[in-house]
Structures are given as structure tokens and as C-alpha cells.
Amino acid sequence: MHSRQLNCSRVLSPGEAQAAQAPADSPHWLLCAEDWLLPAADTPCVAYSFRMDGLDDDFLKTVLGLGCEVHSFDPSSSRASGGYRGNSLASNHGDGGVVSVSQHKMWLEWRAPRKRKPGTRSNLGSVSQTLADIMASLGHHTVHFLYADLLSAEWRIFQNWIESGTLQSVHHLVVRIHLQWAGFEVGGTNEEVLRYWFSVLWGLQASGLKLVHSSAGEGHNVLKQTVANTHSSYILSWVNTG
């Protein structure tokens, strides 16, 4: 499930904005920093982070150091630490060149949005939206760096991204996957759940994503059973080579 598919000679480590050789220890995540996989110097860089516990500061520090336009999504509360400021769905490069994080009290949706009348825009006040709708609301055609801990909603959200083609617009993806239980709106026997998980991971690969790094979380509980040599969660770092 987590075999590396692409070797990167230069990487970006958590909290670092300067590319270097992969560290000897195994960090939680890595971004592949080969020149052909990074945004061009004259290309606006966009980064999204979806996480509720505020433990994405290293990711935010890295993408801010790269000069990206950064958006953080958390429906539970607005964080006031770290010098980040709250903001509505709008660009964050309008403060005289000061780069900061735009906060959004919003979360990801995996269900297809309801059809809207021609000429109407999405409801920016909605608590949950698909990634495609969020990007459209912000005027983004590409997300260069996306970080997400979706608390077991990742499987259905991955499926939405695969089926909608949204993954073609994401260049670097860092996601924590949870294996303790099947996940939201995922049912069936353990064998059926495992087949579904692997079909989703295959769909990610078929969409052009290559795994560059994985790190194991705590615990050994998979589908509510203790499984030796397997962990309850993994952080997977992918890059889109499609």
C-alpha cells in the first residue's frame, strides 16, 4: 500500500523551503523538489491545507517560504496563532507583498454538488464544498501543494477527485490515510473494504500520482482488529507526473 514509486534526489522537508537531499531520518512527509516538478519562477504558486487540529504548521511554513498563496481550511474554528489571519474566499497577496495564510471555516465534500441554475455561482457560505468548487470560488485552476488530514473521509473524497478529474489540477499531495475503520459511507465486509481501498489507491496512481514518501502513524488497529506489522494510519506524499 505504501511502496515508493519515484525517487527524488532533492526534497523539501517539513518546515523547510530550501531543497536538499532526503534526510537520513524519516520525516512525516516530503515534497519532491526536482526542478521539473516545481512551479516555474514566474508561475503563481497555490497551496491548500485541510486539517482540524492545527498541526499543519510545518507544511504552512514550507509553502509560505516558497512564496505560495496559501489557504487553510478548518470548519471547527479559526486559528489565531502563528501570525495567520482569517479571511474570506479571496487571494492573500494584497497586503503590500506580505504573504500570509487565508483562513476558511470550511471543509471538503465528496458528494456531487446540486445542479445550479445557469449564471449562478456556488454558495461561498457553505460549510462543505467539493475541491473543484472551492478552486472555482477562489479562481484557481491549479493547486501546486495540497495537504489534508480528513479524519477517515479521505476515501470517498479521493473517489470524488478521481471520478471528477480534479486530481489533474493537483501537483503535490500529502494525505494521512486512516485504516482503523472503513471510513465515512464505506461499507461491506472487511474483504470488500480492502478491495475498495486498493481500487481507490490504484485510481490515484492511474490519475498520474507517484508515491515519493510514506510514514507510519501510531497503533496497529486495522478495521477494528490488531494487525502486526501494519499501522492504523499512514502519511503518504505523492507528486503528479501525469
Side-chain angles (χ1 to χ4, degrees):
M1 179 178 290
H2 51 277
S3 298
R4 186 170 56 188
Q5 299 169 322
L6 183 67
N7 290 317
C8 301
S9 60
R10 295 175 64 77
V11 298
L12 292 167
S13 300
E16 302 295 329
Q18 294 294 325
Q21 292 183 345
D25 59 341
S26 182
H28 291 306
W29 53 265
L30 291 173
L31 299 175
C32 191
E34 304 291 355
D35 289 342
W36 63 284
L37 293 172
L38 293 177
D42 57 349
T43 300
C45 173
V46 174
Y48 289 0
S49 177
F50 297 87
R51 186 152 187 172
M52 288 190 187
D53 55 16
L55 297 180
D56 55 355
D57 284 351
D58 282 342
F59 175 80
L60 297 179
K61 183 178 179 180
T62 293
V63 292
L64 284 171
L66 295 174
C68 292
E69 176 184 336
V70 184
H71 296 265
S72 177
F73 301 84
D74 180 351
S76 61
S77 63
S78 294
R79 292 179 294 182
S81 63
Y84 305 146
R85 60 176 173 82
N87 198 12
S88 60
L89 285 174
S91 170
N92 63 355
H93 276 287
D95 294 339
V98 176
V99 179
S100 59
V101 178
S102 293
Q103 301 286 344
H104 309 289
K105 198 168 184 178
M106 186 177 295
W107 201 236
L108 279 170
E109 174 64 74
W110 64 86
R111 303 173 188 87
R114 294 179 180 178
K115 292 184 178 180
R116 297 186 295 270
K117 294 180 180 180
T120 61
R121 300 184 64 183
S122 62
N123 179 10
L124 299 187
S126 299
V127 174
S128 297
Q129 294 188 26
T130 64
L131 179 60
D133 274 352
I134 290 173
M135 292 174 63
S137 298
L138 289 166
H140 297 146
H141 298 289
T142 299
V143 178
H144 297 91
F145 304 98
L146 193 153
Y147 180 97
D149 186 343
L150 304 174
L151 306 176
S152 296
E154 62 271 9
W155 299 106
R156 286 301 186 190
I157 289 173
F158 286 165
Q159 181 181 348
N160 169 267
W161 293 354
I162 294 166
E163 294 176 348
S164 66
T166 308
L167 274 176
Q168 305 302 319
S169 301
V170 178
H171 289 186
H172 296 259
L173 178 64
V174 178
V175 177
R176 181 187 293 274
I177 61 170
H178 300 81
L179 308 179
Q180 299 97 321
W181 66 294
F184 291 101
E185 294 193 6
V186 178
T189 65
N190 286 355
E191 291 76 12
E192 289 170 335
V193 170
L194 289 172
R195 283 198 297 269
Y196 172 72
W197 285 351
F198 277 101
S199 72
V200 171
L201 292 173
W202 182 90
L204 294 176
Q205 181 177 340
S207 297
L209 294 183
K210 302 295 184 184
L211 187 68
V212 299
H213 182 74
S214 69
S215 65
E218 297 179 355
H220 299 276
N221 193 321
V222 177
L223 292 176
K224 301 180 181 180
Q225 299 180 26
T226 300
V227 181
N229 301 320
T230 302
H231 293 265
S232 301
S233 67
Y234 292 87
I235 298 179
L236 305 180
S237 305
W238 282 291
V239 64
N240 197 329
T241 61

